[in-house]
Amino acid sequence: MGDDGFRADSGTLDGVSGKLRGASSDLESGASAPPAPEAGAVTGAINAVLSGLAESVAGISEGVGAAGDAVSGNRNVYVDTDQNQAGSLGSVH
């Protein structure tokens, strides 16, 4: 099998970035802890678990958003590099 190099479609990278950022927003909207349940003697423990889960979701949301930003930034680097190299190759002819 020959080596055809690699190719990244900037539209696809935009789509991936947008989906990651959208997922981050969706997660963030559900990251707040719900009101404490009426669970008698274990209400405090259940509330602590729910708060911990909400904090974890907030952390995941932040990570997914950062991944979306990284994809977007690297898409820009890829496109700029590709255009610069194409211009360099064009001047050789």
Side-chain angles (χ1 to χ4, degrees), residues 16-77:
V16 169
S17 176
K19 286 184 183 211
L20 288 168
R21 288 174 173 164
S24 174
S25 293
D26 290 346
L27 285 168
E28 190 174 336
S29 69
S32 60
E38 297 288 332
V42 295
T43 296
I46 291 173
N47 196 40
V49 168
L50 292 175
S51 292
L53 288 172
E55 285 181 36
S56 294
V57 169
I60 292 168
S61 172
E62 185 178 327
V64 171
D69 292 344
V71 169
S72 179
N74 286 308
R75 173 234 179 257
N76 294 338
V77 170

